[in-house]
Amino acid sequence: MLQRLNWFEEARYGLFIHWGLYAELGGIWNGKSYPPGTEWIMRRAQIPLEEYKKLADTFNPVDFDAEDWAQKAEDFGCKYLCITAKHHDGFAMFDSAACDYNIMHTPFGRDVVKELSEACRRHGIKFCVYYSQMQDWADPDGDGNNWDFDPEKKDFTRYFNNKVKPQVRELLTNYGEIGMIWFDTPYDMPIHLCEELRDFVHSIQPDCIINGRIGYGLGDYRQMGDNEIPVLAYKGVWETPMTLNNTWGFSRTDEKWKSPKTVVKMLIDVVSKGGNLLMNVGPDARGNIPQGSVDVLNTVGKWLHKNGESIYGARACADFPYQMRWGGLTGKGATVYLHLLEPAFAPVHIKICNIETKAKRAYLLSTGEELKIFQSYELARDEYRFLVDYPKDKIDELDTVIVAEFEDTPVAHSLYMTFDPENAKGYAAPAMGEASTKGD
Ligand code: FHN
């Protein structure tokens, strides 16, 4: 694995911030609501560039406080933060000499990328930037705006050389170390330009990670679809970007936040399959992250501050053959974290079938309290069983984490092998603890 990916594999949980002029509209133009995401409103409503640009004349997020946002990211338990330096609308949220359609030419006149990069560094959060490399609805040669500009007259290479490269250079030279540059919607961008962009990034900051949406598999890791979590563990480094409601940018109408439990479940699901979750918030035009989203992510953060060991640095678990309706597993080598999310599905004890590897002990992560385990191989049923008794009075509504230590990284016993008692490398049942699993 590439060395520059080390921090990313450890981090597992990041904060995505979609913020731009579109926050002023919040999904509504001329009294009409447009479908999510709200950051697409210029294109969805085909707002003429000259009209849309007027938003820059009033953009003044007086409540913006980089220190507060970085503190929030830390409270949320996020290890990296990625902000839209330029989204598809083409407006730069940073001081750009390459194009004056940027935040310095608003009443606000402050470089939020700069302020946020410094605040993130103070809080030990990796600072990353999103940059829309193909779509640019403000540039006559950029992709996506065919209502202001004649597609026949577009020269994409001109836009690439005159805006993309100079702005990417600015982002990689003026803000210290950038953990990652997050490209998006590469569509049919020519491969040679994608390669040129990748090499260009690494010629300036060799340690800067490039996400999968540079296109053509040229990125350092695989970007899963928006809000898409793969069914099985994915061998390789990957990330799922996820909305907390149903849009990326700020919405005046959508407050349908996922619950803290849903976020924790998704995080466990993603991490158990070896991925990262990039959870989005969309600040409003005054520079406030909506309180509803803050409340949810703070609750998740509190859980993470107690149980982070089971998430940060965890690696993909083996694909065990049975569903675990009570929850899921994350792991680090021989240590496995049992996430009890739905105790109702484990009324007596937690049971995992078909872990072949021998267990050493189990304990509650929050208190260190030692828990009773039972392990057996049932020859006649050709079934491995691993049971943990958990304290019913110490349940965390969000997720109770139990640490199980095995002799080695647990492997799964296949359901598809032809049974042969001679080959069964089982234990004399029951191998550990005094209980028998008979009658279960
Ligand atoms: O079009 C964008 C969208 O606005 C948002 O930025 C997401 C985040 O992953 N990416 C694109 C759609 O995939």
Side-chain angles (χ1 to χ4, degrees):
M1 194 184 69
L2 286 167
Q3 212 186 333
R4 60 176 169 262
L5 285 168
N6 285 350
W7 72 260
F8 185 71
E9 279 253 277
E10 283 295 308
R12 293 298 180 219
Y13 188 43
L15 184 67
F16 213 176
I17 301 183
H18 275 69
W19 200 38
L21 295 180
Y22 42 83
E24 289 191 65
L25 302 177
I28 297 172
W29 176 250
N30 283 343
K32 188 174 167 219
S33 248
Y34 285 83
T38 56
E39 71 287 353
W40 271 70
I41 195 161
M42 179 179 174
R43 178 158 160 170
R44 296 244 163 83
Q46 308 247 307
I47 303 173
L49 179 60
E50 286 316 308
E51 276 295 301
Y52 189 84
K53 271 186 166 175
K54 289 181 187 155
L55 295 171
D57 300 337
T58 48
F59 190 70
N60 195 11
V62 287
D63 293 343
F64 171 71
D65 178 353
E67 180 59 28
D68 174 62
W69 285 17
Q71 181 63 57
K72 282 195 164 69
E74 192 182 334
D75 294 344
F76 297 165
C78 294
K79 300 293 185 189
Y80 57 109
L81 179 153
C82 181
I83 184 161
T84 46
K86 186 200 85 164
H87 203 265
H88 309 328
D89 66 358
F91 181 78
M93 296 293 278
F94 59 99
D95 186 1
S96 172
C99 174
D100 61 11
Y101 190 42
N102 72 63
I103 196 158
M104 303 312 283
H105 302 275
T106 65
F108 191 56
R110 277 162 50 191
D111 185 338
V112 303
V113 170
K114 180 144 211 96
E115 292 182 26
L116 210 46
S117 65
E118 290 165 358
C120 281
R121 237 155 258 138
R122 286 195 293 276
H123 285 262
I125 295 197
K126 278 274 180 192
F127 181 71
C128 310
V129 288
Y130 171 110
Y131 189 87
S132 174
Q133 78 280 29
M134 171 125 195
Q135 294 199 72
D136 191 309
W137 306 330
D139 191 288
D141 294 312
D143 186 76
N145 182 346
N146 293 346
W147 61 96
D148 283 301
F149 307 114
D150 180 354
E152 300 296 318
K153 295 197 179 131
K154 287 190 182 191
D155 178 346
F156 184 78
T157 307
R158 186 164 53 195
Y159 153 72
F160 181 78
N161 287 324
N162 291 347
K163 186 163 180 183
V164 176
K165 283 178 77 178
Q167 287 199 327
V168 167
R169 180 191 292 285
E170 288 171 342
L171 287 169
L172 296 174
T173 23
N174 298 343
Y175 303 97
E177 185 197 310
I178 299 292
M180 162 164 56
I181 186 155
W182 215 99
F183 294 116
D184 207 359
T185 61
Y187 295 151
D188 55 358
M189 186 161 153
I191 188 168
H192 72 274
L193 293 183
C194 299
E195 285 167 341
E196 188 177 328
L197 186 56
R198 174 200 57 188
D199 296 344
F200 183 66
V201 168
H202 287 146
S203 71
I204 306 169
Q205 289 209 24
D207 291 334
C208 178
I209 295 173
I210 298 177
N211 76 323
R213 290 198 196 151
I214 191 166
Y216 305 101
L218 297 170
D220 291 328
Y221 67 88
R222 178 160 192 118
Q223 199 74 64
M224 298 300 169
D226 293 348
N227 297 314
E228 301 287 354
I229 299 176
V231 174
L232 301 177
Y234 176 79
K235 307 270 174 279
V237 182
W238 61 275
E239 176 186 56
T240 289
M242 182 72 67
T243 54
L244 196 57
N245 50 358
N246 287 307
T247 174
W248 301 95
F250 171 72
S251 166
R252 290 178 192 278
T253 53
D254 183 352
E255 295 243 340
K256 291 189 203 78
W257 312 113
K258 292 178 174 71
S259 69
K261 181 112 185 171
T262 302
V263 176
V264 168
K265 271 187 183 172
M266 286 189 318
L267 185 57
I268 291 162
D269 194 14
V270 164
V271 172
S272 72
K273 292 164 185 166
N276 283 23
L277 186 67
L278 183 58
M279 183 53 72
N280 183 72
V281 292
D284 66 20
R286 288 182 66 90
N288 294 302
I289 302 176
Q291 193 55 43
S293 55
V294 171
D295 292 344
V296 172
L297 297 182
N298 265 337
T299 306
V300 175
K302 285 197 182 105
W303 177 85
L304 270 168
H305 285 113
K306 279 190 282 177
N307 298 288
E309 180 194 316
S310 66
I311 299 293
Y312 307 124
R315 298 286 185 265
C317 288
D319 287 318
F320 288 100
Y322 289 109
Q323 286 179 357
M324 295 173 200
R325 288 183 303 157
W326 49 265
L329 307 177
T330 56
K332 288 179 192 165
T335 301
V336 173
Y337 301 93
L338 283 58
H339 296 269
L340 183 61
L341 292 156
E342 306 291 348
F345 287 113
V348 183
H349 40 229
I350 296 171
K351 178 169 85 173
I352 305 177
C353 268
N354 283 28
I355 284 193
E356 282 188 14
T357 320
K358 202 163 175 192
K360 295 202 290 195
R361 68 181 192 119
Y363 59 93
L364 207 57
L365 181 59
S366 57
T367 62
E369 181 183 337
E370 206 65 37
L371 304 177
K372 225 174 188 181
I373 58 172
F374 311 105
Q375 201 172 23
S376 63
Y377 173 70
E378 304 252 332
L379 182 65
R381 291 205 257 202
D382 183 29
E383 194 173 276
Y384 288 85
R385 290 164 166 228
F386 174 62
L387 314 181
V388 184
D389 271 356
Y390 64 91
K392 311 282 182 289
D393 58 338
K394 303 231 172 82
I395 291 298
D396 180 330
E397 286 303 313
L398 269 188
D399 172 27
T400 312
V401 185
I402 289 156
V403 188
E405 290 175 359
F406 288 81
E407 286 187 345
D408 210 337
T409 304
V411 292
H413 185 62
S414 170
L415 295 180
Y416 305 104
M417 267 165 35
T418 314
F419 178 58
D420 177 356
E422 293 298 314
N423 289 336
K425 51 175 171 107
Y427 320 101
M432 300 177 70
E434 68 279 11
S436 153
T437 56
K438 280 189 184 133
D440 208 355

